[in-house]
Amino acid sequence: MNSSRWQVLSLCLVAYCLLACMTCGELFADDEAPAEIPENQVLEPGETLPLTYRRSAYDQPQVWNPDEVDDFTLVDQTGEEFTKEDLLGKPWIVNFIFAQCPHQCPMTSRMMMEFDKTVSDVDMRMVTITVNPEEDTVEIMRKYADIWEADPKRWLFATGDPVQVWKLIREGFKVTAWENVGTARQPGMEFAHDNNIIHVDAAGKILGRYNSIDPKEMSVLRRVLKGDIETPDEYRPVVIEAREAQQASVLEYMKTVKVDPLAKLPYWANRLPATNAMLNALATLLLMLGYTAIKAKLTGLHKKLMLYAFGVSCVFLISYLAYHFALHHYAGVRGKPFEQTGTIRTVYFSILISHVILAAMVPVLALVTITKGLRQNWESHRKWAKVTFPIWLYVSITGVIIYWMLYKL
């Protein structure tokens, strides 16, 4: 065998050893059961959980504790700029939408329109701010405002400089909102945000937060705006000093809530597990065809099919390593944990452990067997093939089974 062929086979052997090491990491992937709620999380009668918000899909919830809205400059649906100063002197409520949203935003906008009719006797302003200022232009906001029959003297649909808008959303109102990425970014789902309405008083101080799709909470807001009641404590921004112990308890519990690591991967990386399973399935098919060919004494076809199978396994290796690199880079984990319990868990790990051990053997066995065949050392090639073939076939088949159990079960 010439030196270049030996170099190629040696590189494949090293790569397969890396594969075996990385596969072993899956055996030790974080796999703890979700923690139980701490005892000090139990609420006493009359107590409520503090309000929280999140800055991204992967951040832990933080207490909602805005105070006074900072200065800002936005543009309304008529193309006129307005500032915080222009809104002072009257109470105002704020909600958040984006024009491409097919369901949630129209629903909250309709609610705002209907709610406005019930507080028509209250001298106040309403402000709807886009979470997609880069695409929601003044013209788009004008069309959106027209749909909901918004009077610009009372109800403003606002856009503006993206940096200023997002600073206002994140730091001013402290709203749960972010731009989706990866598989979460679907048409009409480019952004994620909550359904809350924020109540600001005439001096620019944030008084409360209400869920716009909860009739009970909207009824409370209506009574607050009409002056019938003060803002109830459960809707007010969190006063950290007054609720420090309860806040710490809630945040401690929030840390135990697990996020699926796959949710953190970009689209291309999320597709790799299915790709790897298909490559294993293809290797299985080629191995079976190669076995059938040699039984039919079609030596030339057998050689091609077995080399194709080896090539597919090498492509699988590259894809597998890329996936685990993405898991580590984007999600900070070594592998996806198996979350099923009971007998199926025992079955899964029995298959996985045998798969890992035999997968570490396949590269050596395959390279030796291929080398014997390429050298036309047929007697030795047949002896090695009788050992290599069933192990290689088992590893390929169980690779598909592991994918199904881990990602589809």
Side-chain angles (χ1 to χ4, degrees):
M1 181 181 296
N2 59 44
S3 60
S4 62
R5 185 172 293 172
W6 269 112
Q7 290 174 356
V8 172
L9 293 177
S10 298
L11 286 173
C12 291
L13 176 60
V14 171
Y16 264 110
C17 291
L18 286 173
L19 169 62
C21 292
M22 293 209 45
T23 305
C24 287
E26 290 193 355
L27 293 173
F28 305 100
D30 295 335
D31 196 32
E32 301 135 357
E36 295 181 357
I37 299 177
E39 291 183 4
N40 60 359
Q41 176 59 34
V42 177
L43 300 177
E44 297 297 330
E47 288 185 331
T48 58
L49 292 173
L51 298 176
T52 61
Y53 76 104
R54 293 162 62 197
R55 294 172 62 88
S56 80
Y58 315 124
D59 287 347
Q60 294 295 335
Q62 304 177 45
V63 292
W64 186 67
N65 60 345
D67 185 19
E68 188 172 322
V69 181
D70 293 331
D71 293 333
F72 60 82
T73 300
L74 299 175
V75 183
D76 67 22
Q77 66 265 41
T78 68
E80 295 293 325
E81 288 189 347
F82 69 95
T83 65
K84 170 189 171 182
E85 192 73 23
D86 295 322
L87 296 175
L88 297 181
K90 299 179 181 180
W92 39 296
I93 59 175
V94 188
N95 78 316
F96 303 88
I97 58 94
F98 65 103
Q100 299 94 331
C101 177
H103 176 66
Q104 176 176 305
C105 300
M107 179 178 62
T108 57
S109 297
R110 175 172 291 281
M111 182 285 313
M112 286 280 281
M113 180 180 70
E114 298 298 333
F115 182 78
D116 185 32
K117 297 175 183 177
T118 68
V119 291
S120 58
D121 57 331
V122 178
D123 189 14
M124 56 171 284
R125 302 294 294 274
M126 303 196 306
V127 182
T128 295
I129 301 175
T130 178
V131 297
N132 186 15
E134 290 188 352
E135 297 184 19
D136 286 347
T137 62
V138 171
E139 179 62 26
I140 290 175
M141 297 304 283
R142 180 185 301 117
K143 292 179 180 178
Y144 204 86
D146 289 342
I147 292 173
W148 305 110
E149 303 173 0
D151 179 357
K153 294 181 180 180
R154 183 173 173 87
W155 188 1
L156 303 177
F157 279 75
T159 185
D161 175 71
V163 175
Q164 284 199 42
V165 171
W166 274 100
K167 182 179 180 181
L168 179 62
I169 291 172
R170 290 183 179 278
E171 300 177 14
F173 296 110
K174 295 190 175 181
V175 170
T176 294
W178 60 78
E179 184 173 1
N180 281 323
V181 297
T183 55
R185 190 179 180 89
Q186 301 294 332
M189 298 293 291
E190 291 83 0
F191 292 83
H193 60 90
D194 60 32
N195 294 312
N196 292 324
I197 290 177
I198 303 211
H199 176 207
V200 186
D201 70 8
K205 183 178 179 63
I206 296 176
L207 296 184
R209 192 183 83 181
Y210 303 83
N211 187 348
S212 65
I213 61 175
D214 186 331
K216 176 185 174 182
E217 295 197 14
M218 293 309 296
S219 176
V220 173
L221 175 58
R222 184 180 304 110
R223 295 180 65 196
V224 170
L225 288 171
K226 286 179 175 289
D228 297 336
I229 60 173
E230 295 292 327
T231 305
D233 288 343
E234 59 264 37
Y235 303 106
R236 292 180 179 272
V238 174
V239 179
I240 296 179
E241 293 78 8
R243 306 182 70 171
E244 184 176 359
Q246 187 184 39
Q247 172 198 348
S249 173
V250 171
L251 293 183
E252 189 64 29
Y253 169 65
M254 293 298 187
K255 292 178 182 179
T256 68
V257 178
K258 290 191 173 183
V259 177
D260 185 352
L262 298 188
K264 301 181 181 181
L265 298 182
Y267 178 78
W268 65 267
N270 245 315
R271 300 298 303 166
L272 290 181
T275 301
N276 294 340
M278 288 188 289
L279 289 170
N280 269 321
L282 179 57
T284 300
L285 176 62
L286 290 169
L287 288 170
M288 294 301 296
L289 291 175
Y291 178 80
T292 303
I294 197 62
K295 285 298 182 181
K297 302 188 183 302
L298 301 174
T299 307
L301 179 59
H302 167 77
K303 175 182 177 181
K304 290 180 180 179
L305 289 169
M306 300 310 289
L307 289 176
Y308 287 155
F310 187 73
V312 168
S313 295
C314 290
V315 174
F316 163 79
L317 167 66
I318 296 171
S319 177
Y320 183 90
L321 293 176
Y323 173 65
H324 280 266
F325 169 80
L327 269 179
H328 178 73
H329 180 74
Y330 293 101
V333 296
R334 294 187 295 270
K336 178 176 170 59
F338 186 73
E339 298 177 351
Q340 302 291 332
T341 59
T343 304
I344 191 66
R345 185 178 181 85
T346 303
V347 172
Y348 171 78
F349 279 103
S350 298
I351 295 174
L352 179 62
I353 291 171
S354 62
H355 172 88
V356 169
I357 294 173
L358 294 177
M361 299 171 57
V362 166
V364 176
L365 295 173
L367 286 172
V368 172
T369 305
I370 290 172
T371 301
K372 298 291 185 181
L374 293 176
R375 288 179 172 177
Q376 299 184 6
N377 189 347
W378 304 124
E379 187 63 30
S380 181
H381 172 75
R382 280 192 291 270
K383 290 180 179 179
W384 279 92
K386 289 179 180 180
V387 177
T388 301
F389 177 78
I391 295 177
W392 193 353
L393 184 63
Y394 176 82
V395 169
S396 297
I397 293 174
T398 54
V400 179
I401 294 173
I402 290 170
Y403 164 78
W404 176 77
M405 296 182 73
L406 187 58
Y407 294 93
K408 298 299 181 181
L409 192 60

